[in-house]
Amino acid sequence: MESEENLSKEKQNLNQNISVGNSSPLKITHQKPLEKQTESPIINKPENNKNISNEQTQNLINLALKDLKLSRENLEKELEELSKKKIQIETELKKSFSGQSDAIARKVKGFQEYLTGALQDLAQSAEQLELVVPPVIVKPSPLDENKKIAPSKEQETIIAVSDTFKPDEKLIRRCFSQFLEQPDFYAEPWKLRRSLEDNDVEILEDWFFSMGGRGAQPSRGNRSKNALVASGIIAILGELYGEQFQTLVLASQPERLGEWRRCLQDALGLNREDFGPNSGIVLFERSDGLIERADRLEERGELPFIIIDAAEINIEIPILQFPTWIAFAGSPNEIYEEDDLI
């Protein structure tokens, strides 16, 4: 009996061991592949996606840079071609009729500015005119004179023309030294705001002390330099006579008068109001009006200072009778260039 019980117990123990051994390896084998399957996609997939995206963006950037470089090179080539065409067109314009027409248009514009200023000055002078009937003066007849006036025995002392400005030589030479210094751009009106060269001062010295303020001088080469010399004379006459003199400029073309006006305005610090019939400087295209104006100034006891442009070939003889005048004698080439541009 005991042996049978022992056999039954041993069988039971063997069955239990077999069941435990079979169950444990199955569980382990089923769990391990599941863990591997779940862990592997979580770790590898994001890294691969990042690498692929970086490579794609880098390729796109490289392509964009290549396109930009090509477009830049094309634009630079086009700019070079356009600049060459521009230079070629400018040279053709200067030689062609269109370039000359542009120069003529500029001169017409200068004439328009001069004409508007002259009309404004004329309107102002017309408003200031006093229309008064002149009184009738009855002069006695020469037959009614009983007494004869004895001729005066006093001899009039005639001063040499070259000695006209001798009493004021110190003041004039002091002005010459100031003109050679640095320009004073903020000087008062009617003072020279530019500096002169030694050749300009030599012309002024010859005109004042050798010619006595009346005579012709060689042109300085262009109208702006001549206007600068004339500005120096105007500044000195302003120191000597104050407001008792008036400058009269003669030039037969409106473009030349416009250039004289701009140069004198810049050199002496003047305004538009200083150019007119009742102002310090009057511009004339014809000599008849200038002569009439100079006669009126002398009747009022004032001094007319006459400036004659270098392009004027003929000068009226009555102009030469006035005490102060300067004529710039232009060279044949200068006169030819002036006539060719008109």
Side-chain angles (χ1 to χ4, degrees):
M1 291 294 288
E2 291 178 358
S3 62
E4 290 177 357
E5 288 177 359
N6 291 325
L7 290 169
S8 61
K9 287 179 182 179
E10 290 176 358
K11 288 179 180 180
Q12 288 177 359
N13 290 326
L14 289 170
N15 292 325
Q16 286 177 359
N17 291 326
I18 291 164
S19 62
V20 170
N22 293 325
S23 62
S24 61
L26 287 170
K27 289 180 182 178
I28 292 166
T29 54
H30 286 296
Q31 289 177 356
K32 286 182 180 179
L34 288 170
E35 290 177 357
K36 290 180 180 179
Q37 289 176 0
T38 54
E39 289 177 356
S40 62
I42 292 169
I43 294 169
N44 295 326
K45 284 184 178 180
E47 292 179 356
N48 293 328
N49 291 329
K50 287 180 181 178
N51 291 327
I52 292 166
S53 62
N54 289 328
E55 290 178 358
Q56 290 177 353
T57 53
Q58 188 65 34
N59 291 328
L60 291 172
I61 290 168
N62 291 330
L63 289 172
L65 288 173
K66 287 180 180 179
D67 292 336
L68 287 172
K69 288 179 181 178
L70 289 172
S71 61
R72 181 180 177 182
E73 290 176 357
N74 292 328
L75 287 173
E76 288 178 352
K77 289 179 181 179
E78 290 179 358
L79 286 172
E80 289 179 359
E81 291 177 357
L82 289 173
S83 62
K84 290 179 181 178
K85 288 181 180 179
K86 181 183 177 182
I87 294 168
Q88 185 178 1
I89 289 168
E90 287 178 352
T91 54
E92 289 178 356
L93 281 174
K94 290 179 180 178
K95 296 179 181 178
S96 62
F97 176 75
S98 59
Q100 294 180 358
S101 63
D102 187 13
I104 293 169
R106 291 179 182 175
K107 291 184 178 181
V108 170
K109 188 177 180 181
F111 170 68
Q112 185 180 2
E113 293 178 355
Y114 162 72
L115 190 60
T116 54
L119 290 174
Q120 289 177 359
D121 296 335
L122 184 62
Q124 291 177 0
S125 61
E127 291 177 357
Q128 294 176 0
L129 287 176
E130 296 180 0
L131 301 176
V132 180
V133 179
V136 179
I137 299 173
V138 179
K139 294 182 178 180
S141 175
L143 299 174
D144 296 334
E145 295 180 356
N146 294 324
K147 296 180 180 180
K148 294 181 180 180
I149 300 171
S152 60
K153 296 181 180 179
E154 297 178 359
Q155 294 181 354
E156 296 179 359
T157 57
I158 299 172
I159 301 172
V161 175
S162 59
D163 297 332
T164 304
F165 294 99
K166 283 290 182 181
D168 302 314
E169 185 176 358
K170 291 183 180 179
L171 189 147
I172 293 170
R173 291 192 181 279
R174 186 170 68 248
C175 292
F176 289 168
S177 62
Q178 292 176 358
F179 294 164
L180 293 172
E181 296 174 357
Q182 293 295 326
D184 187 6
F185 297 106
Y186 301 99
E188 296 179 359
W190 300 101
K191 304 286 185 182
L192 188 64
R193 296 188 176 186
R194 298 287 183 269
S195 60
L196 299 180
E197 298 177 359
D198 293 331
N199 295 331
D200 300 330
V201 174
E202 288 177 2
I203 290 173
L204 294 179
E205 186 176 2
D206 184 29
W207 187 80
F208 275 101
F209 301 117
S210 297
M211 296 183 173
R214 50 191 300 178
Q217 291 291 332
S219 176
R220 295 285 290 127
N222 55 38
R223 191 166 288 108
S224 60
K225 292 183 178 180
N226 294 337
L228 190 62
V229 173
S231 300
I233 296 173
I234 293 170
I236 294 172
L237 292 178
E239 293 287 338
L240 296 176
Y241 300 99
E243 297 180 357
Q244 298 299 317
F245 86 102
Q246 191 174 38
T247 303
L248 312 177
V249 181
L250 178 63
S252 59
Q253 296 294 333
E255 295 87 3
R256 297 168 184 168
L257 288 175
E259 193 173 353
W260 271 101
R261 183 173 188 167
R262 288 191 297 271
C263 294
L264 293 174
Q265 185 174 352
D266 179 68
L268 296 172
L270 305 179
N271 297 320
R272 185 178 289 273
E273 298 174 357
D274 297 320
F275 295 85
N278 297 322
S279 302
I281 299 175
V282 189
L283 307 176
F284 293 93
E285 288 185 28
R286 296 181 179 178
S287 57
D288 297 335
L290 185 144
I291 294 167
E292 291 178 2
R293 183 66 181 175
D295 288 331
R296 291 179 184 176
L297 290 172
E298 283 191 338
E299 289 176 0
R300 291 186 299 185
E302 296 180 6
L303 177 69
F305 170 52
I306 301 169
I307 301 172
I308 301 170
D309 187 63
E312 296 296 318
I313 300 173
N314 299 320
I315 299 173
E316 296 293 334
I317 294 174
I319 294 175
L320 307 179
Q321 68 182 356
F322 296 105
T324 55
W325 58 271
I326 183 170
F328 292 97
S331 62
N333 292 329
E334 186 177 355
I335 295 171
Y336 175 76
E337 289 177 359
E338 289 285 340
D339 294 333
D340 191 20
L341 290 175
I342 296 171

